[in-house]
Amino acid sequence: MFVDPRTPSHAVPSKFSAFLTLLSVVFAVPSKDPAPEVKESINPPRGWTLRSAAPSHHTIELRIGLPQPDFPVLEKHLYEVSDPFHERYGQHLTKAEVEALVAPHQESIDAVSEWLATHGIGESDIQRSPARDWVTIKVPITLAEKMLDTTYHVWTHDASGDSIVRTTSYSLPKHLHPHIDVIQPTTMFARFKGYKSTIHDIDRSPSLPAFTGDSTNSGAVIDPSCNTTITISCLRQLYSVPSDFTPSAHVGNSVGITGYLEQFANRQDLQSFYADQKPQAVGSTFNFVSVKGGLNDQNASNAGVEANLDVQFAFGLSFPVNSTFFSTAGRPPFIPDIGTPTDTNEPYTDWLDFILAQEKPPLAISTSYGDDEQSPKASPDGLVQDLPSLVHCEFKIPSDGGVGDGDDNPATQTCLTNDGKNQTKFIPGFPASCPFVTAVGGTEFIEPEIGVFFSGGGFSNFFARPSYQDKAVGKFLSALPKGTFEGLFNPNGRAIPDVAAQGERFRVFVGGQVVSVAGTSASSPAFTGIVALLNDVRLRAGQPPLGFLNPLLYTIPEGFNDITIGNNPGCGTEGFNATTGWDAVTGLGTPNFSKLRDLVIRK
């Protein structure tokens, strides 16, 4: 009689129970592991120099990703509840339902646990994600090297001097390969950074021109001062938010901002910003949530330009919607000395772990951080599988750096692949290139509003174009002259950006001073503030929040101001041009709230 060792014991006749136990032990714990086989190997990445062996005192936090066999089912659910033409539109999955769909098979959990046990790592040493699809352990570098049959080194990024501890290859026993998708940090050489362009000036005695009633291509009437200084009032005028529209604080709406790299959001600066631009919000503030020990130092000298920009505009636009600032600890560069024995430069995955464990994450979240798509490698190591799990919220990511490699100066972009081939390619940003987030490009000026030069745009080299983009992006590609940028981009890839918003000359308070800030890291919180207003419209109408936006956005292009001027140079080219309809500079365009309000309420 054959007995499947996965069959529950209560389903097996008692006389076979002892035999079943023996089979389980034999199959689960081989008497001797075969020789390790390479699980992953890469060429030494371009732009990084091997400096030294990893210090023996170093502690590394390994994240082990287990297979998610039902992930395609989760993806199917995500698209159904996000498709405005599907009968399930808006019927978002619960956290428990999502976790059930990303949970690994028990045999994978057992195989990994048993392997860890052979290295002296017990259950009390393990942190598991809510769905048990991620295992996190902290181990000495010497043990990690033994477990993975590898050698770690300290690598230094040539341009910035940032240092990380990584390897270019690791191995696992053959029987574990089907049970482990990825282990990091190993081969991921990402430089997590902000998508801010430059601080242009310090404006100590600002004066704003009088309102004269000019109009723009959005049909709104705009104060001409918005050509030189972007304020909350400018964004509301430019994107057609009625002057008498105020969202509710009592319908369960929420908005969030992520903070990394010791970027602190200063509450006093927020009060100064509100006094200057949103007087009715003076005295209000945001919720602060620490992730992995993240701080929010309120010393004025430590106020972060990025953090202040994000909270002031996202929360200012959406006031009085419930607002949260998340600060996640950890930052590069890692300095391998006795004072910093633990490498903590993986804050992005730490935040994802945290937010996926929450019952009610904010309904719209903006992050202004990321990296070149090729830095996290071909599969950004589980991040892509984590992002669709945020089915209750919409995630905004800026898209910066033109068509180049994220360098704000097109003249210094290298645009070479880091796969050992050193090919010249347009290099999009990640996670903007992930099909499960909304990528936001940048614009400037008001008459007319045009695509700004640093607006990141192009096509993913790793992620296929999602079906929701086929019509709009296909039209853009068919209009490109034959041979345009041939070989420099992947025409079948996920296209970015999806939308755009102003990205220049934002009036921000930092350390008690007024500064002017540029970058798509300004565009992302601005667009997120508009999304929070749209969620208010739906919630007050008794409808569910928008959730994952992209499938909806591409069905309502009439809700956007089409931007037809501008380009995003890089890699020795002029980049793509803004044009009628979707384009790889400004996406569908900038939001027209008055039109979108009617469109989203009908869905």
Side-chain angles (χ1 to χ4, degrees), residues 373 425-426 428 458-466 469-496 576 582 584:
E373 183 183 63
K425 294 272 190 181
F426 291 165
F459 299 82
S460 173
N461 292 310
F462 302 130
F463 305 115
R465 183 167 68 240
Q469 289 192 315
D470 282 344
K471 181 178 179 180
V473 175
K475 183 178 179 181
F476 172 81
L477 290 171
S478 65
L480 281 179
K482 187 176 181 180
T484 301
F485 306 136
E486 188 171 357
L488 292 179
F489 74 98
N490 171 25
N492 299 312
R494 186 277 201 261
I496 56 174
F576 294 104
W582 183 92

Side-chain angles (χ1 to χ4, degrees), residues 270-569:
L270 181 63
Q271 294 306 307
S272 299
F273 176 84
Y274 282 160
D276 181 65
Q277 298 189 32
K278 195 82 170 180
Q280 62 269 44
V282 171
S284 68
T285 190
F286 52 83
N287 305 308
F288 169 65
V289 175
S290 170
V291 180
K292 297 276 286 200
L295 303 176
N296 195 30
D297 189 338
Q298 292 302 293
N299 187 317
S301 63
N302 292 329
V305 175
E306 188 78 75
N308 277 12
L309 162 69
D310 293 349
V311 303
Q312 288 171 20
F313 276 87
F315 300 164
L317 270 170
S318 60
F319 175 81
V321 171
N322 184 56
S323 56
T324 300
F325 174 67
F326 299 92
S327 177
T328 305
R331 60 166 294 130
F334 163 67
I335 304 174
D337 59 27
I338 195 65
T340 56
T342 302
D343 187 350
T344 58
N345 58 5
E346 300 286 355
Y348 194 79
T349 54
D350 289 337
W351 181 82
L352 278 175
D353 288 343
F354 175 85
I355 203 69
L356 289 169
Q358 306 307 301
E359 289 291 339
K360 293 184 178 181
L363 299 180
I365 301 174
S366 175
T367 190
S368 294
Y369 302 81
D371 202 357
D372 304 339
E373 183 183 63
Q374 66 174 358
S375 293
K377 290 177 44 291
S379 171
D381 307 309
L383 299 185
V384 176
Q385 291 190 331
D386 279 342
L387 287 170
S389 302
L390 300 174
V391 293
H392 281 104
C393 71
E394 167 56 20
F395 207 39
K396 313 294 177 309
I397 304 286
S399 183
D400 213 348
V403 294
D405 57 7
D407 188 332
D408 292 325
N409 183 358
T412 59
Q413 293 175 347
T414 56
C415 303
L416 297 176
T417 61
N418 64 0
D419 57 2
K421 299 178 181 179
N422 289 330
Q423 296 176 319
T424 300
K425 294 272 190 181
F426 291 165
I427 301 174
F430 179 83
S433 64
C434 173
F436 303 116
V437 304
T438 299
V440 185
T443 60
E444 63 177 329
F445 301 129
I446 64 170
E447 190 56 43
E449 187 173 13
I450 70 174
V452 69
F453 75 93
F454 53 70
S455 183
F459 299 82
S460 173
N461 292 310
F462 302 130
F463 305 115
R465 183 167 68 240
S467 60
Y468 60 74
Q469 289 192 315
D470 282 344
K471 181 178 179 180
V473 175
K475 183 178 179 181
F476 172 81
L477 290 171
S478 65
L480 281 179
K482 187 176 181 180
T484 301
F485 306 136
E486 188 171 357
L488 292 179
F489 74 98
N490 171 25
N492 299 312
R494 186 277 201 261
I496 56 174
D498 298 300
V499 294
Q502 285 281 314
E504 276 273 20
R505 307 174 185 90
F506 275 56
R507 180 177 167 86
V508 181
F509 282 75
V510 182
Q513 296 181 314
V514 179
V515 301
S516 179
V517 182
T520 53
S521 59
S523 311
S524 184
F527 190 83
T528 300
I530 297 296
V531 173
L533 300 185
L534 294 173
N535 273 333
D536 174 82
V537 171
R538 285 183 60 86
L539 291 167
R540 282 203 277 187
Q543 297 183 1
L546 289 167
F548 176 42
L549 278 177
N550 293 4
L552 169 66
L553 299 184
Y554 284 86
T555 68
I556 52 173
E558 66 271 26
F560 294 86
N561 309 313
D562 193 8
I563 309 300
T564 59
I565 303 174
N567 63 299
N568 51 3

Side-chain angles (χ1 to χ4, degrees), residues 199-211:
I199 303 173
H200 291 292
D201 60 278
I202 303 293
D203 185 4
R204 299 182 187 278
S205 55
S207 59
L208 301 180
F211 173 64

